[in-house]
Amino acid sequence: MSSIKIFSGTSHPELAKAIAKNLKMKLSEIVISRFACGEIYSRSLESVRGCDVFIIQTATHKVNEDLMELFIMIDALKRAFASKIHIVMPYYGYARQDRVTIPREPISAKLVADLIAAAGADHVITIALHSDQLQGFFNFPVDNLTARKLFVEYFNKKKIKNCTVVSPDAGGVKEAKRFANLIGVQLAVIYKSRPSHNVSEITTVVGDVEGRTCLLYDDMIDTAGSVCNAREALLKAGANKEIYLAATHPVFSDPAIQRLRKAKFKEIVVTDSIPIPKNKLLANMKILSVAHLLADVIEHVHKAKSVTEVL
Amino acid sequence: MSSIKIFSGTSHPELAKAIAKNLKMKLSEIVISRFACGEIYSRSLESVRGCDVFIIQTATHKVNEDLMELFIMIDALKRAFASKIHIVMPYYGYARQDRVTIPREPISAKLVADLIAAAGADHVITIALHSDQLQGFFNFPVDNLTARKLFVEYFNKKKIKNCTVVSPDAGGVKEAKRFANLIGVQLAVIYKSRPSHNVSEITTVVGDVEGRTCLLYDDMIDTAGSVCNAREALLKAGANKEIYLAATHPVFSDPAIQRLRKAKFKEIVVTDSIPIPKNKLLANMKILSVAHLLADVIEHVHKAKSVTEVL
Amino acid sequence: MSSIKIFSGTSHPELAKAIAKNLKMKLSEIVISRFACGEIYSRSLESVRGCDVFIIQTATHKVNEDLMELFIMIDALKRAFASKIHIVMPYYGYARQDRVTIPREPISAKLVADLIAAAGADHVITIALHSDQLQGFFNFPVDNLTARKLFVEYFNKKKIKNCTVVSPDAGGVKEAKRFANLIGVQLAVIYKSRPSHNVSEITTVVGDVEGRTCLLYDDMIDTAGSVCNAREALLKAGANKEIYLAATHPVFSDPAIQRLRKAKFKEIVVTDSIPIPKNKLLANMKILSVAHLLADVIEHVHKAKSVTEVL
Amino acid sequence: MSSIKIFSGTSHPELAKAIAKNLKMKLSEIVISRFACGEIYSRSLESVRGCDVFIIQTATHKVNEDLMELFIMIDALKRAFASKIHIVMPYYGYARQDRVTIPREPISAKLVADLIAAAGADHVITIALHSDQLQGFFNFPVDNLTARKLFVEYFNKKKIKNCTVVSPDAGGVKEAKRFANLIGVQLAVIYKSRPSHNVSEITTVVGDVEGRTCLLYDDMIDTAGSVCNAREALLKAGANKEIYLAATHPVFSDPAIQRLRKAKFKEIVVTDSIPIPKNKLLANMKILSVAHLLADVIEHVHKAKSVTEVL
Amino acid sequence: MSSIKIFSGTSHPELAKAIAKNLKMKLSEIVISRFACGEIYSRSLESVRGCDVFIIQTATHKVNEDLMELFIMIDALKRAFASKIHIVMPYYGYARQDRVTIPREPISAKLVADLIAAAGADHVITIALHSDQLQGFFNFPVDNLTARKLFVEYFNKKKIKNCTVVSPDAGGVKEAKRFANLIGVQLAVIYKSRPSHNVSEITTVVGDVEGRTCLLYDDMIDTAGSVCNAREALLKAGANKEIYLAATHPVFSDPAIQRLRKAKFKEIVVTDSIPIPKNKLLANMKILSVAHLLADVIEHVHKAKSVTEVL
Amino acid sequence: MSSIKIFSGTSHPELAKAIAKNLKMKLSEIVISRFACGEIYSRSLESVRGCDVFIIQTATHKVNEDLMELFIMIDALKRAFASKIHIVMPYYGYARQDRVTIPREPISAKLVADLIAAAGADHVITIALHSDQLQGFFNFPVDNLTARKLFVEYFNKKKIKNCTVVSPDAGGVKEAKRFANLIGVQLAVIYKSRPSHNVSEITTVVGDVEGRTCLLYDDMIDTAGSVCNAREALLKAGANKEIYLAATHPVFSDPAIQRLRKAKFKEIVVTDSIPIPKNKLLANMKILSVAHLLADVIEHVHKAKSVTEVL
């Protein structure tokens, strides 16, 4: 079996270190620097000839820098004769632009897939892709993991009484249903409708939430607008004041933190798929780490064992 | 401008003729035959050198034959030096297998896209793709049309009083909402939940349907199981007995017709994106033709004018 | 060395089992099903990550179904991270449409090669390709085996006296000559000519057949027209009544069986490269199995040993 | 319509000039030189931006130089923004190495196709490909012309009495038959067999040649061994002494000319698909020009008209 | 001829406007926005179906943003059925990382070429590529323009007496020589050598500069270190105090402006291939516009006329 | 680890043998022949299925033959299922045509890279590429070795007193500087300038050469014009009469040998990257072998160890 090397981009070094620790390995040494003119430079300090290489790079608020850095790392490692290059991208940037809704839009999620392939990667490992169809955007197979297991374990321990899982919109119903089933609770959905023309949109809560403890469950929190509106709707519908919020990807774009601070959720549970800067950490925030999950998958991939067992 | 030629596969010759008629053209002559050993043969009887060629071929119950026939037609026309080959596939087969839900599944929708491209096509025109993300499966741009306009025109004339558009499942909510808004009526959604483990699934109607005339709206009718269940649920929820059913693609796999016959919808409105054999025609069935829509798009594509105007 | 898995499509399960038995292996478990709408679904029940995968699928009378099923199996196994996918296709469908003889024909044999590659296969193993040039249609190397050895063994045991191998047309002369040399008998050829315009075609037997036992030798029997005509011509030329017929691929399209029944060959010797339905089995038919040959080649391929030794 | 430019490589300038003359055009000016170190250099002296470019280059005895020169011309014209690059290669080199007959052989004919495509050509026009299957070696369509019409016209005028067309081997039977039918004469075939092991090969003439005037017809004359042997066999079989020889491609490798000089054919009729050096011209040689045919095809291709009409 | 549309990215709108003005056209309307999460979105407000599209986007200090924005614009326009997409990138980012000098470096200049192609562009127009070999990094032809003509015109008008063109390093000698010849003055070169180990590098001026007015000429000014050192060396070598500095690309990375301010060149002449922010403008700076040059080339490209005439 | 096989083309069998000897291996047996018609044929006599194959082929004066032979060898070995095909091309032909200097030139160095890739190679190992940017011409990584170490060892032993390394033109300055530093001596450069229009070019020696022993150092000697001119210039500048000449690639095109014979260098030191025919060997010629270097690299590549250690 070829030897394995793990490299970290600059987007999320803590996660990379945690993954390496889980694997009882050290991160391989690589130079990543920026010239005064803004250009990125990267060079491995270790030979990778014939190695099975994993690059840990997630998408943050400087997603374009993250992606260009990733492409340059791939190019450098490919030209240094790495045998296979696996990209571990816990949060896949541009995932939401995955279709043309108004004519002449880009399909940026497909573009990013094409650019990753053009740079020379052989495989992508990611978590909770915004839509499952994104797997078909790649010409090579993709490991689309789910952090559901982490949330199930966490909330199973919590044993919240009288609990209802709530999907904040129609798009997330399927995944919310799977989650609700796994923790053995009821499901409700919030959706928006416009009864007739020229009437403003109405938010409706569907399912039994009155007097119950709600757990809003989504794939990501971006500006937190929809989850905060959902919280209002649940309260209006008679839900308990203690509302939980769980989501895989803490994108936390402005004004997410102001809104969340104001909303006073009982708890905000997210993963570390994206690093959260200190000034965005709230007291009621709980972060579940995906490091163990990713380390397991990396090991299974490297040893060509079924990844299905891990999930 | 290069000249235009339209060819029909054997899957839906009536639609092809109707499209040609709308364009005031004749279908180009092509031999499509099957040898005793089952192999397909195809040969254009007209020169296509330098022409802008459109092939009309939809997916029917013999979808694999339809696809192989399409690939062979593309190959023959490409080798005869056609300038551009456009595929007009009103119903795109295998569209529902668009993601890996259990490990080791194929993404057949992506496979079909790759095979169409490998055969040599340059462009695909289709209607109501099962998921919008399918556009990203092609390396060339795709015109994903909608038949919504046809349904809007039809039901605007009907002027059904007291009407509610109903999406039979969570996945179709967005499209149903757009349709309901266009005909200026309310929206309801039917969804299935399992309140806790080991409890059978419950169908819930969300939105106001009591005493109202419901119009079930979906992208396709396959075995008609879900729409017939939906009908039952609506009646239980107090809806008017006169329930309408509208869907773009009349797949009508067994036992769809038995179920629909039994269900006694007020009207079943579909398009001719797939041919309906005579023995599957019901008295309460209304077929809206996509021929005019497709003819318009073909003309705009050929003249390199914006297709957006047509929609 | 990576581990090996063998999968069978639905076209020829008996052959697949026989191959596996020869290799002292079990066929890997895979779901292959058809939806009511005609679409095929396939999913391996075993992990194939990193495995050397062989798919056994031949072309039968439902060649288009066989091919689409093959493409979907390839897609599913590729996305499940199989290391290499080898296609074992004893009879390669569409092989005869390998050139443009009249303008605007397809080259379907090339198209099938392109589609197999687009689906994601890495290697094809086949028997007695209709023309050797077909190897050049693939961008990856192809193992084009011959069943000649099986026929040589069989007829060497028979020790037919006074025997002449006869090629039923000019195209098969080279192969018939190789075969005749290996069993140490004479060669004759049948060919058709038209002495001058407006004169009907004449079938001529070239070589000494008078009073001799003829053995017609071809690559396939499709509708059996040419071999039955050849038999008539041999009898007219004074050949013994006991005429043998040997051919690799028993395509047996209608009306092959009626013709063969009427023709009363001494023996019809074919291989099991294509399954023969019970109602097409004749008393004078002898079937030589290619299972041992294919098993040997699979083993050599998997162990990266020279396949030449096997042949 | 984009404008047309015709360039000549150094392999056959006379033919290129004749083609241009037929088209009432001038050859475009291009530098083709060789450095002292053996490297080739090429540069068009005219702008080709947006032009429809045809390069005339055949394969001669310095086939490797001809091919490398062709690749470099293609590269230079492609980088100069030619719109389409058509290769007119009357004799396609390496055509005979079109399959693997002994394991580990190259398929050079496919390799040459791949190299032409890699250099950047869009289309190939050639004459009498050694096997029709070669068309499938290209990923773009190929115009495979035939010079049959030229021979038919020539021999129709000759009105040879009592004539039989003879194919010098089994491989050429089909084409010889087509030709014989077109000039309305009989067909005979020469083939070689080995009646049993350890017996030397016997050349047999099949068909009626006794007392008749034979016209040997083949696709090419390489070392002239087989046609001279065929001549001997025909004489032995009682043919008239006046034997004609007709073949499309005058490859004339040593010792072809010595053999042909000795053989004293009545007439040797070839085309100018390959230039014949003065010292290889014989008194009984007749050269039919393919210039008019190629000019017609070029014109039809450029104007996107059916090439079928020309043939 | 297809119609032409010109789009501007956000990197250099002034230049785009100037180009459009030169062409007597308006820039086409396009939305380019950034979400709170950092992702870029772009959508043309005009139909581009069948159009010949030019995108003006240069590389600035936020080169990674510029490139990702470019890729997304290309994707959006390609999916909107643009006929051809031409990239006008006056300053090509990452051009200096064009080779592996220490093992395991990337070749970022090649990577950027591959990414541009993967996004879907058909053609690149750029100015003064850092090395001419970069043209070979693209699989499509590249128009590598030079701004030399602008500098020649400018300095020919200046009529500097007693002038010597100076190349600040060995790599730029060839281009400096061409420039010096065109304005009819002498050439000098500055280069660095290390006479023996452990001795610090020595800057040497080669050529006659004593008492002469020097004109330092380079392809770009990045941090201005080498040109300021060059200035020192020229003064030491006895050059006139009035030293001119001319360079195509004003990259001006920190601390370029401090250095240039201190250095007190007689004049700093650059082009507007990169926008210069107001706070970096110096009193002795002269900016020559490439807008006219680029407009001319765009027109010639669109009309498929020789670009050579423009240069 | 897969087994290794080394094949030699016909361009430089002595070097291939020396490499094999260094590796304690035998060259694998392969047929390479030429037909009377000029076509090349090649076939390995050993199985290569699954092997790591290295082909030794350099560029000589018959560079086009060398390249076509290489392509055909690659094709044959690829079709025989070689696992990886590495090309060891000590002197890479067409390297100097690496950019478009006058419009409409080819980039032959890129073309050769594309052709090697199209033939099916996976990796190229070469020495002293004319420009480093050539690495970016390949879509796979390239090992561009340097023979500098050989020259350093040789001249370090010589201990020439009072020595100055001289680059014969501006292009070679960087490499000459590295070499001079490694042997710890001074550097000088010769360059040509034209002080003003209509004045003939002047050759100038820059750096201290008076009374010193000069060592001209270049990447190749083609026609030897520039090095002989350089020698004259050095003598004029007062250099010692004993001038050394060192260059990696002995291309030696006419009239190189006449010039070198006349020039009477103290010593001409080259490598055996290209074979030197006996009639071109001069008494003052010293040939350093690259066999050991290449053998080391082959071993490291095969064992997937860092090649950097070798250099």
Side-chain angles (χ1 to χ4, degrees), chain C residues 98-100 103-104 107 110 131-133 135-137 139 177 181 185-186 191-192 194-195 197 206 308, chain D residues 98-100 103-104 110 131-133 135-137 139 177 181 185-186 191-192 194-195 197 206 308:
Chain C
D98 61 355
R99 93 207 73 174
V100 174
R104 294 179 226 112
I107 307 186
K110 166 69 170 162
S131 60
D132 289 340
Q133 287 87 347
Q135 297 168 300
F137 286 13
N139 283 326
K177 197 157 115 188
N181 285 345
V185 308
Q186 297 183 14
Y191 76 99
K192 292 142 197 164
R194 184 162 287 164
H197 267 311
V206 169
T308 318
Chain D
D98 61 355
R99 95 207 73 177
V100 174
R104 293 181 226 110
K110 165 69 170 162
S131 59
D132 289 339
Q133 287 88 346
Q135 296 168 302
F137 286 13
N139 283 324
K177 198 156 110 187
N181 284 346
V185 308
Q186 297 183 14
Y191 76 100
K192 292 142 198 166
R194 184 163 287 163
H197 267 313
V206 169
T308 318

Side-chain angles (χ1 to χ4, degrees), chain D residues 21-75:
Chain D
K21 204 176 164 190
N22 265 284
L23 288 165
K24 288 175 185 142
M25 290 177 58
K26 283 204 170 172
L27 289 177
S28 291
E29 288 193 78
I30 189 163
V31 171
I32 304 173
S33 56
R34 270 163 174 80
F35 292 109
C37 66
E39 294 181 3
I40 298 166
Y41 173 83
S42 174
R43 177 175 173 262
S44 167
L45 297 178
E46 307 181 10
S47 169
V48 296
R49 202 174 275 258
C51 291
D52 209 18
V53 166
F54 292 79
I55 304 177
I56 320 286
Q57 180 84 325
T58 200
T60 69
H61 277 94
K62 34 177 209 47
V63 54
N64 300 313
E65 293 287 332
D66 297 332
L67 287 173
M68 284 300 300
E69 184 182 293
L70 175 64
F71 303 152
I72 287 167
M73 290 176 75
I74 295 173
D75 189 77

Side-chain angles (χ1 to χ4, degrees), chain B residues 28-284:
Chain B
S28 290
E29 287 193 77
I30 189 163
V31 171
I32 304 174
S33 56
R34 269 161 175 81
F35 292 109
C37 65
E39 294 181 3
I40 298 166
Y41 173 84
S42 175
R43 178 174 172 262
S44 167
L45 297 177
E46 306 181 11
S47 171
V48 297
R49 203 174 275 258
C51 292
D52 210 16
V53 166
F54 292 78
I55 304 177
I56 320 286
Q57 179 83 325
T58 200
T60 69
H61 277 96
K62 32 177 212 45
V63 54
N64 299 314
E65 293 286 330
D66 298 332
L67 288 173
M68 284 301 298
E69 185 182 295
L70 175 64
F71 303 152
I72 288 168
M73 290 176 75
I74 296 172
D75 190 77
L77 293 168
K78 174 186 72 184
R79 292 188 185 280
F81 296 89
S83 169
K84 290 258 175 191
I85 298 179
H86 310 263
I87 308 307
V88 181
M89 198 185 231
Y91 175 61
Y92 183 90
Y94 284 102
R96 284 169 289 177
Q97 190 66 34
D98 61 354
R99 94 206 73 174
V100 175
T101 43
I102 325 173
R104 292 180 227 111
E105 284 189 330
I107 307 186
S108 308
K110 165 68 168 164
L111 170 68
V112 168
D114 286 346
L115 298 179
I116 288 173
D122 298 292
H123 177 204
V124 167
I125 299 168
T126 186
I127 301 178
L129 276 176
H130 186 64
S131 59
D132 289 342
Q133 288 87 346
L134 272 159
Q135 297 167 303
F137 286 13
F138 285 88
N139 283 325
F140 46 74
V142 169
D143 278 301
N144 179 21
L145 313 177
T146 167
R148 197 189 304 132
K149 195 171 68 167
L150 300 177
F151 290 105
V152 168
E153 278 168 17
Y154 183 76
F155 285 102
N156 271 344
K157 277 187 201 146
K158 280 254 144 168
K159 295 184 187 169
I160 303 169
K161 282 190 185 159
N162 220 4
C163 177
T164 296
V165 163
V166 182
S167 171
D169 58 33
V173 171
K174 282 188 192 175
E175 171 59 19
K177 196 156 113 187
R178 271 185 227 126
F179 175 61
N181 285 345
L182 280 167
I183 62 169
V185 308
Q186 297 183 13
L187 175 71
V189 184
I190 289 168
Y191 76 98
K192 292 144 198 163
S193 59
R194 183 163 288 163
S196 63
H197 267 310
N198 303 321
V199 171
S200 71
E201 206 170 58
I202 292 173
T203 300
T204 321
V205 178
V206 169
D208 183 19
V209 300
E210 210 178 328
R212 300 185 64 87
T213 303
C214 290
L215 165 44
L216 275 163
Y217 183 78
D218 211 352
D219 64 338
M220 68 172 70
I221 304 172
D222 188 353
T223 59
S226 70
V227 288
C228 290
N229 289 345
R231 194 181 162 278
E232 290 304 312
L234 291 175
L235 292 178
K236 267 192 205 153
N240 258 358
K241 281 205 169 171
E242 298 205 335
I243 295 179
Y244 289 82
L245 170 58
T248 303
H249 302 301
V251 179
F252 291 163
S253 302
D254 287 333
I257 295 303
Q258 289 113 289
R259 283 177 173 158
L260 290 175
R261 198 167 269 142
K262 215 191 278 175
K264 294 187 180 152
F265 281 98
K266 171 71 180 171
E267 210 171 278
I268 301 167
V269 189
V270 294
T271 78
D272 57 352
S273 67
I274 306 172
I276 307 175
K278 279 197 180 156
N279 63 335
K280 291 194 173 177
L281 286 173
L282 299 179
N284 60 341

Side-chain angles (χ1 to χ4, degrees), chain A residues 139-263:
Chain A
N139 283 324
F140 46 72
V142 169
D143 278 301
N144 179 22
L145 312 177
T146 168
R148 197 190 304 131
K149 196 171 70 167
L150 301 176
F151 290 105
V152 168
E153 279 168 15
Y154 183 77
F155 284 103
N156 270 344
K157 277 187 200 146
K158 280 254 145 170
K159 294 183 191 172
I160 303 169
K161 283 191 187 157
N162 220 4
C163 176
T164 296
V165 163
V166 182
S167 170
D169 59 33
V173 170
K174 282 187 192 174
E175 171 60 20
K177 196 156 113 186
R178 271 185 228 127
F179 175 60
N181 284 345
L182 281 167
I183 61 168
V185 309
Q186 296 184 13
L187 175 70
V189 184
I190 289 168
Y191 74 100
K192 293 142 197 163
S193 59
R194 183 161 289 160
S196 63
H197 267 310
N198 303 321
V199 171
S200 72
E201 204 170 56
I202 292 173
T203 299
T204 323
V205 178
V206 168
D208 184 18
V209 299
E210 208 177 332
R212 299 185 64 88
T213 303
C214 290
L215 163 44
L216 274 163
Y217 183 77
D218 211 352
D219 64 337
M220 67 171 70
I221 305 172
D222 187 353
T223 58
S226 70
V227 287
C228 290
N229 288 344
R231 193 181 162 278
E232 289 305 312
L234 290 176
L235 291 178
K236 267 193 204 154
N240 259 358
K241 280 204 167 173
E242 298 204 334
I243 294 179
Y244 289 82
L245 171 57
T248 303
H249 301 301
V251 180
F252 291 164
S253 302
D254 287 335
I257 296 303
Q258 290 112 289
R259 282 178 174 160
L260 290 175
R261 196 167 270 141
K262 211 190 281 176

